[in-house]
Amino acid sequence: MWRFSGNQMKRWRTKANISREQLAAASNYSPDTIKSMEQGVRMPTPRVLDVADELCCAEGLLSAAKEYLSREKFPPRAQEFMEREREAIGLWWYETMLVPGLLQSEAYARALIESRYPPLDEETVEKRIAARIERQAILTDRKPPVALSFVVHEAALRGPFVDVDQLRRLQQVSGLRNVDVQVLPFERATSDAHLGPMVLLEDRGHERFAFTEGPFASELSADPEVVSRVTGRLSMIRAQALSPAETARFIERMVDRHD
């Protein structure tokens, strides 16, 4: 929906002979930000839709998109990844500083989402939490089961929001037959392990997609070169990590210390 809205904004702007610079100045955004909204990289904001509607004499047709955009469960940059995740038959995930979303307890997810900056409104917070928990159905509800492999850097388990309930959630999930959970201890982590989180997805057509995420940008790519590079890094990190059995004992010791 947000991509369609951006495309429509561009069409109306072009039809009205309004330049991108004019719309940017009127809505107090940079021309590059307007461009990213029109190209579907960013979600159009309510303000820019209202300004574009007035400038382009769209008679409410652009402003009407605000109602539909407010229903989106996920941030714009994560939308395509979530679509691919729902269709995946295999998923390999490495996280450096956070527990992967599919393994988060509700309390942990809430703590992360509520601490976002700039702050989110209460309705958006609740939608994001519900959507994150809903995604976790991939762990148990798909037939045939999805093959899932997670490697979590020890730093993620030492984070301020990780409590005993989150650790027990990891224990619970790692007991599923289709799920492997591994911890990468501090002392085993090489330089490649500090380059950031990454996910590899395989769909029903056996096409693979690599997802990498940074603080301000994310990328989902089917480029064979990118997929190959991510596959290689994931394989190396999995080899360095504790085995699933060793990980179970590692987490058990953390639980005992919390108790």
Side-chain angles (χ1 to χ4, degrees), residues 187-198:
E187 64 271 15
R188 293 196 184 187
T190 61
S191 57
D192 267 2
H194 298 107
L195 294 179
M198 53 189 164

Side-chain angles (χ1 to χ4, degrees), residues 161-188:
F161 301 133
V162 176
D163 58 12
V164 69
D165 289 336
Q166 176 58 71
L167 293 172
R168 286 179 174 147
R169 170 67 178 160
L170 291 175
Q171 289 179 310
Q172 175 191 23
V173 172
S174 62
L176 299 172
R177 289 189 302 106
N178 59 313
V179 179
D180 279 336
V181 178
Q182 296 175 258
V183 168
L184 179 66
F186 288 121
E187 64 271 15
R188 293 196 184 187

Side-chain angles (χ1 to χ4, degrees), residues 1 42 68 73 75 92 153 160 191 197 200 202 229 257:
M1 184 61 205
R42 295 189 182 195
Y68 298 94
K73 296 179 179 179
W92 300 263
H153 196 293
S191 57
L200 192 66
E202 183 175 350
R229 189 162 63 246
R257 284 194 289 270

Side-chain angles (χ1 to χ4, degrees), residues 88-211:
I89 63 168
L91 181 149
W92 300 263
W93 191 321
Y94 171 64
E95 270 289 352
T96 53
M97 300 303 295
L98 301 173
V99 175
L102 296 180
L103 307 183
Q104 292 175 7
S105 68
E106 184 172 344
Y108 181 89
R110 179 176 295 279
L112 290 180
I113 293 169
E114 288 184 338
S115 64
R116 286 282 305 274
Y117 185 86
L120 300 171
D121 62 81
E122 192 62 31
E123 182 181 1
T124 301
V125 167
E126 295 303 325
K127 282 183 179 179
R128 297 258 176 105
I129 294 169
R132 188 162 300 181
I133 300 305
E134 181 181 303
R135 284 171 55 206
Q136 296 178 1
I138 192 176
L139 298 169
T140 56
D141 293 357
R142 292 268 296 276
K143 293 182 180 180
V146 181
L148 301 157
S149 173
F150 301 90
V151 179
V152 184
H153 196 293
E154 183 179 347
L157 302 185
R158 304 294 182 185
F161 301 133
V162 176
D163 58 12
V164 69
D165 289 336
Q166 176 58 71
L167 293 172
R168 286 179 174 147
R169 170 67 178 160
L170 291 175
Q171 289 179 310
Q172 175 191 23
V173 172
S174 62
L176 299 172
R177 289 189 302 106
N178 59 313
V179 179
D180 279 336
V181 178
Q182 296 175 258
V183 168
L184 179 66
F186 288 121
E187 64 271 15
R188 293 196 184 187
T190 61
S191 57
D192 267 2
H194 298 107
L195 294 179
M198 53 189 164
V199 183
L200 192 66
L201 294 152
E202 183 175 350
D203 66 15
R204 291 189 177 99
H206 300 291
E207 184 174 9
R208 291 192 171 189
F209 299 85
F211 181 72

Side-chain angles (χ1 to χ4, degrees), residues 4-89:
F4 177 75
S5 299
N7 178 268
Q8 290 299 300
M9 187 169 72
K10 180 180 179 180
R11 288 175 180 272
W12 276 97
R13 180 180 60 75
T14 303
K15 180 180 178 181
N17 200 28
I18 301 294
S19 70
R20 188 174 286 144
E21 288 72 20
Q22 286 175 297
L23 176 55
S27 57
N28 199 28
Y29 286 105
S30 71
D32 283 345
T33 298
I34 298 298
K35 180 180 179 180
S36 68
M37 291 179 184
E38 291 181 343
Q39 293 180 339
V41 177
R42 295 189 182 195
M43 181 187 292
T45 64
R47 181 171 82 243
V48 80
L49 288 169
D50 284 338
V51 171
D53 193 282
E54 183 176 351
L55 278 179
C56 302
C57 302
E59 300 181 351
L61 293 176
L62 287 175
S63 292
K66 294 185 296 182
E67 176 187 351
Y68 298 94
L69 293 179
S70 67
R71 300 176 187 173
E72 296 284 8
K73 296 179 179 179
F74 304 108
R77 65 179 184 160
Q79 291 283 346
E80 187 174 2
F81 172 74
M82 299 307 172
E83 292 172 12
R84 295 294 180 183
E85 184 183 83
R86 283 194 290 268
E87 299 299 319
I89 63 168

